[in-house]
């Protein structure tokens, strides 16, 4: 029997859960002074998240989607793209938005039910939070195709949760992005849960990164708790898209320690047993301070 085609998904990690280097660091990460702003951004997001959860639990803030344990993904993504690029976030991307220039006041306005919080003073062309699951992937491909038609050296970066990859919008967008070779980078924030549904009951794919392969899109996997790895891989994918070499689909595994409402006991126990004390906070601290 002949083999028609073979594929592989590369995995990238520079820091292990103890913060030790697993391989030679990329050039930007060899200077601790360059890493401190990334660490500070993660700490700021963690502190904001804790305060926002307290406000929501006490009835002083409306619905709020926590990004606890996922700070390295947003910071790594936002630090790797240019000001003129466009971010299309989903509802847990506070870390990326803050680094892009969205203010804490704007974020609190939005989660308090005031849409003026989406009128960003900083990234004027970034899209607002997408709460419907998976819709922003289609928007990202449309914006990227507009950049291509206008011959603008700009890239769209779209972040989506693992649950969103089970939606039809996702597959339609992948197909068009591959056909058009649109300058777009898709980032899957795989926190192992689609609200209350664990990953193993929503998709049978061995990796989420391989979902782009059928559409002719390169799929890569990276440690989502490693801010150095996230930034490095995103930079490569963004420059690839910017130079006309097509889109990339990234899957990042991260810890999700919080949701909008108090988590069910089953999910809370499963999450703690699976991840323990590992997370972007502890994983990046050693590298940023040594």
């Amino acid at each position: 029997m002949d083999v028609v085609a073979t594929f592989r998904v590369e995995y990238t990690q520079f820091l292990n859960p103890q913060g030790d280097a697993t391989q030679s660091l990329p050039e930007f990460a060899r200077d601790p002074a360059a890493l401190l702003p990334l660490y500070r951004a993660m700490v700021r997001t963690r502190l904001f998240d804790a305060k926002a959860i307290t406000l929501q639990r006490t009835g002083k803030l409306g619905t709020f989607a926590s990004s606890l344990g996922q700070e390295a993904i947003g910071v790594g993504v936002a630090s790797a793209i240019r000001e003129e690029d466009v971010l299309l976030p989903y509802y847990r991307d506070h870390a990326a938005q803050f680094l892009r220039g969205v203010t804490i006041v704007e974020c609190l306005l939005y989660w308090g039910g005031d849409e003026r919080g989406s009128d960003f003073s900083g990234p004027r062309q970034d899209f607002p939070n997408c709460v419907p699951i998976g819709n922003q992937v289609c928007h990202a491909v449309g914006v990227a195709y507009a950049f291509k038609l206008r011959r603008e050296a700009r890239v769209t970066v779209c972040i989506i949760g693992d649950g969103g990859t089970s939606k039809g919008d996702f597959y339609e967008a992948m197909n068009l992005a591959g056909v058009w070779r649109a300058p777009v980078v898709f980032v899957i924030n795989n926190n192992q849960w689609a609200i209350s549904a664990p990953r193993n009951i929503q998709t049978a794919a061995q990796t989420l990164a391989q979902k782009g392969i059928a559409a002719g899109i390169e799929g890569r996997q990276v440690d989502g708790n490693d801010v150095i790895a996230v930034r490095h891989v995103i930079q490569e994918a963004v420059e690839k898209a910017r130079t006309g070499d097509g889109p990339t689909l990234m899957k990042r595994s991260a810890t999700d320690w919080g949701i909008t409402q108090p988590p069910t006991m089953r999910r809370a126990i499963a999450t703690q047993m699976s991840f323990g004390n590992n997370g972007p906070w502890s994983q990046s601290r050693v590298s940023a301070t040594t």
Side-chain angles (χ1 to χ4, degrees), residues 7 15 25 29 40-41 49 70 74 85 87 101 117 128 144 161 175 188 229 241 243 260-261 277 282:
F7 308 96
L15 300 177
L25 298 178
R40 289 193 189 101
D49 198 270
Q70 302 168 53
D85 295 330
L87 176 70
N175 185 61
I188 302 171
T243 54
T260 305
Q261 270 67 29
N277 293 320
S282 59

Side-chain angles (χ1 to χ4, degrees), residues 12 20 23 42 63 66 93 157 192 210 225 228 279 281 284:
T12 302
D20 300 320
Q23 58 175 307
M42 289 191 290
T63 301
S66 173
D93 287 329
V157 177
Q192 309 296 330
Q210 73 193 56
N225 286 328
I228 294 175
W281 181 291
S284 302

Side-chain angles (χ1 to χ4, degrees), residues 35-225:
L35 296 179
L36 284 174
L38 305 183
Y39 183 70
R40 289 193 189 101
M42 289 191 290
V43 172
R44 177 179 61 176
T45 304
R46 176 72 61 95
L47 294 174
F48 166 81
D49 198 270
K51 182 63 176 179
I53 290 173
T54 300
L55 292 171
Q56 195 275 332
R57 296 291 189 266
T58 56
K60 297 178 181 178
L61 188 66
T63 301
F64 178 73
S66 173
S67 63
L68 184 63
Q70 302 168 53
E71 299 88 355
I73 295 176
V75 171
V77 167
S79 64
I81 59 180
R82 298 179 185 174
E83 182 179 354
E84 64 267 23
D85 295 330
V86 172
L87 176 70
L88 293 95
Y90 84 135
Y91 47 80
R92 299 190 194 274
D93 287 329
H94 326 309
Q97 290 178 313
F98 290 156
L99 204 57
R100 292 280 290 168
V102 175
T103 68
I104 288 177
V105 170
E106 289 166 345
C107 190
L108 289 174
L109 276 174
Y110 171 80
W111 289 111
D114 190 334
E115 282 296 337
R116 287 175 294 182
S118 297
D119 185 17
F120 306 137
S121 57
R124 297 296 296 171
Q125 294 191 346
D126 281 6
F127 277 47
N129 291 330
C130 186
V131 175
I133 305 301
N135 292 14
Q136 76 274 29
V137 190
C138 299
H139 305 158
V141 176
V143 175
Y145 192 50
F147 290 161
K148 184 172 183 176
L149 291 176
R150 296 172 181 173
R151 302 183 185 275
E152 297 178 4
R154 302 170 68 189
V155 175
T156 60
V157 177
C158 176
I159 309 178
I160 185 174
D162 49 300
T165 70
S166 299
K167 293 290 295 295
D169 311 64
F170 174 81
Y171 290 100
E172 293 170 16
M174 290 294 106
N175 185 61
L176 288 177
V179 170
W180 292 339
R181 295 185 64 79
V184 56
V185 176
F186 304 102
V187 180
I188 302 171
N189 181 350
N190 177 25
N191 57 35
Q192 309 296 330
W193 292 87
I195 305 298
S196 59
R199 181 192 180 285
N200 66 318
I201 69 170
Q202 57 156 309
T203 180
Q206 184 178 358
T207 72
L208 300 181
Q210 73 193 56
K211 290 190 174 187
I213 293 175
I217 297 174
E218 177 188 13
R220 299 183 64 176
Q221 188 167 322
V222 67
D223 182 354
N225 286 328

